[in-house]
Amino acid sequence: MKRFLLLWATAGALVVAPNALASTQHSSTGTVIALTRGGVLMAGGKGLVSFAPGRARVGSRVVLSGSSLRIVGFAHAARLRGVVAARRGNVVVLSAAHRLFPVRMRGRAPAAVSDHSGPQAGEVVGVTVSIDENSNLVATSTDDEGEVGTAHVQATIAAIGTSTITLSVNGQSIVLPLPAGSTVSPALLGTQVTLTLTFANGTTVANEDEQADNDDQGDNGIQTAGHDHGDDGGDDSGGGDG
């Protein structure tokens, strides 16, 4: 009898275990607001933006379960929250989930729009957007939710200037200044790097991010004057791994 009870208990455990595992699997729903390297950005509850692996067009209503992304419908509007990283005419580039994506402000603004009008770099904003037929996000309302001093992002380098770096953000070219004395390795052109954006007085400066892993190489290849990327005890002339 004891042996029978033991076998019954074991069989019961085998039946219950899969259900227990299934109940702990996390799933989330949201609206795709941008395409990005390796996946999409989705805006969920309270405008929280997160990265999801997989493919879906902007505006798709999706369910993320584990690493599986499933399309369940389509939306023409969404609510999202992000940090203003840069502005270019009537386009505001937001940072969320360590990625960058553009949002068009309603109406047309000249390229030389005043730096003191509208959302400023470093501001945290809540944005309600409509999604047009070309998959563009168009802001219908914005709310100021505070400000931050830095943001960590991954972005693709489209061009390298003497003291600037140009990032490609979903078809938009965003030019950002580098810290004084900084240089960027030409080998990084066209690659994705991890950057720390610093905000002050409505401006954005792109800095290397030493604490994050770069998708393309261990060293960002962005060198600040007086900063040694080589081995401990080496000199600055080594230039690091580039």
Side-chain angles (χ1 to χ4, degrees), residues 10-242:
T10 303
L14 292 174
V15 172
V16 173
N19 293 332
L21 290 174
S23 64
T24 60
Q25 188 174 21
H26 175 71
S27 64
S28 57
T29 61
T31 301
V32 175
I33 58 168
L35 309 183
T36 187
R37 182 174 179 175
V40 300
L41 295 180
M42 55 182 282
K46 298 183 180 180
L48 179 65
V49 176
S50 59
F51 170 81
R55 300 179 65 180
R57 62 176 293 193
V58 173
S60 298
R61 289 288 298 168
V62 294
V63 175
L64 177 64
S65 182
S67 60
S68 176
L69 189 69
R70 181 166 55 95
I71 300 174
V72 296
F74 193 83
H76 296 283
R79 178 71 178 178
L80 56 91
R81 187 172 182 268
V83 176
V84 178
R87 296 177 59 198
R88 184 175 183 269
N90 69 330
V91 175
V92 174
V93 177
L94 297 183
S95 166
H98 304 295
R99 269 79 173 178
L100 298 172
F101 60 95
V103 174
R104 297 178 183 272
M105 304 304 292
R106 173 167 282 186
R108 296 184 178 181
V113 64
S114 171
D115 290 339
H116 301 288
S117 63
Q120 300 296 301
E123 290 184 358
V124 181
V125 293
V127 187
T128 299
V129 298
S130 62
I131 302 171
D132 67 18
E133 64 276 10
N134 296 317
S135 298
N136 296 313
L137 303 182
V138 181
T140 57
S141 68
T142 59
D143 299 313
D144 186 359
E145 299 185 4
E147 60 183 26
V148 297
T150 61
H152 303 277
V153 301
Q154 296 176 6
T156 300
I157 297 179
I160 300 171
T162 303
S163 58
T164 64
I165 189 172
T166 301
L167 305 179
S168 177
V169 182
N170 287 30
Q172 299 288 331
S173 295
I174 306 300
V175 181
L176 297 177
L178 296 168
S182 296
T183 60
V184 180
S185 169
L188 293 182
L189 188 63
T191 66
Q192 179 171 281
V193 297
T194 302
L195 303 170
T196 296
L197 305 182
T198 58
F199 311 115
N201 301 320
T203 62
T204 305
V205 176
N207 301 270
E208 63 176 332
D209 190 332
E210 299 177 344
Q211 298 181 349
D213 292 330
N214 181 5
D215 288 350
D216 298 294
Q217 58 187 53
D219 183 342
N220 264 1
I222 302 175
Q223 300 176 27
T224 303
H227 190 113
D228 179 17
H229 289 279
D231 295 335
D232 291 343
D235 58 32
D236 289 342
S237 63
D241 297 330

